[in-house]
């Protein structure tokens, strides 16, 4: 199932806007910070798949282990204080599925703006308003998956529509270069046939994937800080 999922990810252009930033907006050797870097996903994606040379940093609530030797990790509770980096430090600020866990998302975005260099970019991804209309997980609970916004008890406040992301950037005089939903026409066609099958056999990771790309479960924002 994992090989099938990886093949489908390539077909649907998984996180295409994030990839575009790494490939064409962040300079070679540029500085990248991953807000919520559990698993070092962004670091592994850049070094293993894109094979691009960036200077990586990150912050997470958890006290992480197995930190890459060339990775600047800092532990912090972002609901209790500032992002622990200096102002104007990064060419690219990545925040994937973090803002929905923050008590004050407006202040959090201001912090992302603060640590971003003038002319740099901010990428934010979060559950969209469509996530609240999907049926929640009903089996294999130990996998900690989510097909409904409220499946995760640490989600706070609200989901994020494209309009909300656009306004968030505009209110802070950032240029909202791109807002959208991660959705696939291919998945919308095959999901009605595949979802009952994978759910019946308990392939819940595949089921979650189908739900997300069928409905546009996640929304995103790419914003540029004024130069």
């Amino acid at each position: 199932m994992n090989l099938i999922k990886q093949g489908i990810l390539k077909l649907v252009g998984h996180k295409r806007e994030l990839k575009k930033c790494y490939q064409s907006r962040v300079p070679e050797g540029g500085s990248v910070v991953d807000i919520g870097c559990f698993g070092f996903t962004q670091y592994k994606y850049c070094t293993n798949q894109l094979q691009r040379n960036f200077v990586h940093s990150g912050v997470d609530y958890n006290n992480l282990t197995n930190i890459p030797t060339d990775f600047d990790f800092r532990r912090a509770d972002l609901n209790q204080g500032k992002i622990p980096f200096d102002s104007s430090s990064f060419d690219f600020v990545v925040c994937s599925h973090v803002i929905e866990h923050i008590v004050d998302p407006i202040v959090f975005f201001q912090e992302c703006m603060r640590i971003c260099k003038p002319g740099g970019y901010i990428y934010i991804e979060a559950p969209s308003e469509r996530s609240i209309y999907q049926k929640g997980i009903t089996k294999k609970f130990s996998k900690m998956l989510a097909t409904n916004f409220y499946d995760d008890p640490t989600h706070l406040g609200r989901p994020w529509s494209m309009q909300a992301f656009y306004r968030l950037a505009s209110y802070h005089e950032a240029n909202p270069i791109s807002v959208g939903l991660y959705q696939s026409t291919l998945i919308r066609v095959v999901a009605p046939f595949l979802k009952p099958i994978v759910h019946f056999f308990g392939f819940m990771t595949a089921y979650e994937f189908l739900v997300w790309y069928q409905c546009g479960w996640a929304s995103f924002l790419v914003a540029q800080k004024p130069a």
Side-chain angles (χ1 to χ4, degrees), residues 153-178:
T154 65
H155 283 173
L156 302 175
R158 48 160 299 163
W160 287 83
S161 67
M162 291 185 287
Q163 173 72 150
F165 269 147
Y166 186 92
R167 291 188 182 189
L168 182 67
S170 298
Y171 290 167
H172 293 86
E173 298 183 350
N175 178 21
I177 292 177
S178 180

Side-chain angles (χ1 to χ4, degrees), residues 1-15 134 137 145-148 182-184 186-188 190-191 194-195 198-199 203-218:
M1 292 299 296
N2 189 55
L3 289 176
I4 295 174
K5 179 180 175 180
Q6 292 302 318
I8 295 175
L9 284 173
K10 292 182 180 180
L11 287 174
V12 301
H14 180 56
K15 297 195 175 182
Q134 307 306 309
I137 290 291
L145 303 173
T147 51
N148 181 280
Y182 284 128
Q183 190 175 26
S184 166
L186 172 63
I187 298 301
R188 292 177 68 184
V190 302
L194 291 181
K195 280 168 59 180
V198 297
H199 190 275
F203 299 133
M204 299 310 293
T205 301
Y207 181 79
E208 179 194 59
F209 171 78
L210 291 171
V211 170
W212 279 40
Y213 277 87
Q214 180 186 27
C215 74
W217 203 90

Side-chain angles (χ1 to χ4, degrees), residues 54-74:
F54 299 127
V55 178
H56 289 274
S57 302
V59 58
D60 200 273
Y61 174 80
N62 298 287
N63 191 16
L64 304 183
T65 58
N66 299 320
I67 302 169
T69 55
D70 55 346
F71 190 98
D72 182 5
F73 170 73
R74 305 186 186 184

Side-chain angles (χ1 to χ4, degrees), residues 138-151:
T138 58
K139 59 172 67 173
K140 299 285 183 73
F141 299 115
S142 61
K143 288 186 175 293
M144 304 292 185
L145 303 173
T147 51
N148 181 280
F149 182 83
Y150 298 106
D151 279 339

Side-chain angles (χ1 to χ4, degrees), residues 24-41:
S24 61
R25 294 181 176 133
V26 184
E28 187 72 14
S31 52
V32 175
V33 62
D34 183 6
I35 310 298
C37 60
F38 182 84
F40 304 104
T41 304

